[in-house]
Amino acid sequence: GGHPTPYSAVDAESGILPPEFGYQRGVRMTGRNFKDVGFALTYIIFFVLALVLGAVIISQDSFDLALIQKCSDLSTHQEAAASSKAKGAPPPKATPSSKDAAWVAGAKSYLPSAAWIFCVITAVSCVVGVLWVYLLKKFALPIVWATCVFIPIATAGAGLALFLFGDSHSRTSGLFIILVGAFFALYLYWIRHKLPLTASLITEACHALESNWSLMAWSSLLALVGLLFFLFFLAVIFIGVLSGLKMSNNECTIQASPLAQFTISLSMLMEIWTITLLSQIKMFMTGGVVGLWYFHTEDPSFAMPSSKGATSLKWALTTSFGSCVFGALILTIVELIKSAAKRESREGGGAGAVLACLCYSCMACIESFIKFINRFAVVMMAISGESFCDSAKLTFDVLSRNLLSSLVVDSLTSWVMGLGSFALAVLMGFLGCILTFGSQYGPLVGVVSFFFSLIVLVFYAETLISIVDAVFLFYAIDKDFNTVGAAGASLHAVY
């Protein structure tokens, strides 16, 4: 909190304009002090404690695989029996049909032999992602328009199909979906004048990514680190729960020790907090890299760092680490409250369930708003070196002063990227089916190929969305200082 730190004489001599609005135009390279240190220390203490206790739980490895299988079979049989009883049919046998069992066994043995197909699909998806960036750079406006036309037509078409060919209940749902499609059409018609700005932002984001492909490598590294920590905490939770599994009188219960219960709760907290923190760091690094490119690429007086990604990552892990932790903690708390409200609304009853449902809806709205502000605030943190609260205030002031419809641009960009990644992943799924043509497991390989490809393409999409957020904020900063940089010239030409 507090007031933004005054900028040094070195900043003024570097050719950067004076901070008329409490911040500078450009990336602050000097005078970065440690911010939100208390949150950084708190996170480190909790993280180390979770690692130590998790290692203790994993080293014990005291669960019984045979008991787990028995409880799993018992649970499956009980659920099937309850379902059959509700329908008035006799309880089924506990064993699956021989045909289904043979297909499952065959699929388990076939999928490892199809690993080369998944590797090919993943590699091709990486190439397709590069081509996608190129197409977005060249044809952003037609792609944006095509997306805006497709969404209401596809929505209304799905609703019309339900209305014409469904039963009475489906017809009601179909009519509602048609109304949703009509609302989308009216909304997109209302914001049609924003489409050129969205297209220009996407074009500039593609230019930024092409000029900084190393950003993908650094983002991949953070994603790998996140995956490792996710698997570790997941293993701790899994082993901690199963180590307390007991079976008595044909009933399975979990009786975990107090240490295991505490470790499981701590691991769940740190899993969400850590993954969210790594997402914050990735956004911070993106903001720093794109900021250096946007503001200083053609500035001969600016000492450009040899590695923009390494420099931005160093800031995120040192002076601004506490601020990234603070932002991640806010999102984590909101997510935990929302999850608790959702669970209570499903499992509770009466007025409590209604209140929990209302709480969940409110927290979902709050979460969306916080995430929206948070993304721009993290970018401001990256270029200014300020604390999370100061950066959030500066960001809100910048967007408010310039009356920019950032929410509209954000929605359009997400729709374009989401629909594009999904459509390309579907094509990759068909490619997986083609590579296994004639096999009874071809559709299964196609589905798995789709998900492998979707992971890669969503990674491209999220990176581009992060760059669009950064470029949009920098565009607003240009308007604040009444300046047009070389990188943002096309944006100012259309809006």
Side-chain angles (χ1 to χ4, degrees), residues 13-303:
E13 294 172 358
S14 65
I16 298 171
L17 294 177
E20 301 175 20
F21 303 102
Y23 70 98
Q24 66 180 7
R25 181 189 180 274
V27 180
R28 183 176 186 176
M29 301 297 295
T30 60
R32 286 178 177 255
N33 300 319
F34 284 88
K35 304 292 184 179
D36 299 317
V37 178
F39 291 100
L41 294 177
T42 302
Y43 174 82
I44 292 172
I45 292 172
F46 275 81
F47 183 75
V48 171
L49 181 61
L51 289 181
V52 172
L53 293 179
V56 171
I57 293 296
I58 292 177
S59 64
Q60 292 177 352
D61 193 15
S62 58
F63 58 88
D64 186 349
L65 290 176
L67 177 60
I68 294 173
Q69 185 61 46
K70 288 181 181 179
C71 290
S72 177
D73 293 341
L74 178 62
S75 176
T76 302
H77 181 61
Q78 289 175 343
E79 291 177 0
S83 177
S84 299
K85 183 178 180 180
K87 297 178 181 179
K93 295 182 179 180
T95 57
S97 67
S98 58
K99 183 178 179 180
D100 292 340
W103 191 91
V104 172
K108 289 181 178 179
S109 62
Y110 182 83
L111 285 179
S113 65
W116 68 273
I117 296 178
F118 305 138
C119 292
V120 169
I121 292 295
T122 302
V124 172
S125 297
C126 292
V127 177
V128 169
V130 175
L131 295 176
W132 186 26
V133 172
Y134 177 80
L135 291 174
L136 284 170
K137 184 184 71 172
K138 294 294 184 181
F139 310 105
L141 187 57
I143 292 175
V144 169
W145 269 107
T147 302
C148 292
V149 171
F150 175 80
I151 289 176
I153 291 178
T155 304
L160 183 61
L162 283 175
F163 183 78
L164 294 177
F165 305 108
D167 53 22
S168 58
H169 178 72
S170 299
R171 289 177 180 175
T172 303
S173 301
L175 183 60
F176 175 76
I177 294 174
I178 291 174
L179 293 176
V180 171
F183 171 78
F184 267 123
L186 291 174
Y187 174 71
L188 293 172
Y189 178 79
W190 177 60
I191 63 170
R192 65 191 184 282
H193 61 287
K194 302 288 186 182
L195 301 186
L197 176 59
T198 301
S200 295
L201 284 167
I202 293 174
T203 301
E204 288 301 324
C206 293
H207 280 298
L209 186 56
E210 283 189 340
S211 301
N212 301 277
W213 277 113
S214 61
L215 185 60
M216 296 295 293
W218 288 108
S219 299
S220 299
L221 177 62
L222 289 175
L224 178 61
V225 172
L227 177 62
L228 293 176
F229 283 128
F230 172 79
L231 293 176
F232 173 80
F233 288 124
L234 186 64
V236 172
I237 296 170
F238 182 78
I239 294 174
V241 170
L242 295 182
S243 62
L245 189 64
K246 307 293 181 183
M247 188 173 185
S248 177
N249 298 326
N250 214 28
E251 290 186 359
C252 294
T253 58
I254 296 177
Q255 303 173 3
S257 65
L259 177 62
Q261 293 179 15
F262 175 77
T263 304
I264 291 170
S265 300
L266 181 61
S267 296
M268 293 174 66
L269 169 65
M270 295 310 299
E271 182 178 43
I272 300 174
W273 196 359
T274 301
I275 298 302
T276 307
L277 172 60
L278 289 171
S279 177
Q280 295 280 97
I281 293 174
K282 177 188 173 184
M283 187 68 228
F284 184 101
M285 182 182 64
T286 301
V289 170
V290 178
L292 290 168
W293 168 82
Y294 186 94
F295 292 114
H296 306 296
T297 296
E298 300 185 6
D299 183 0
S301 64
F302 185 81

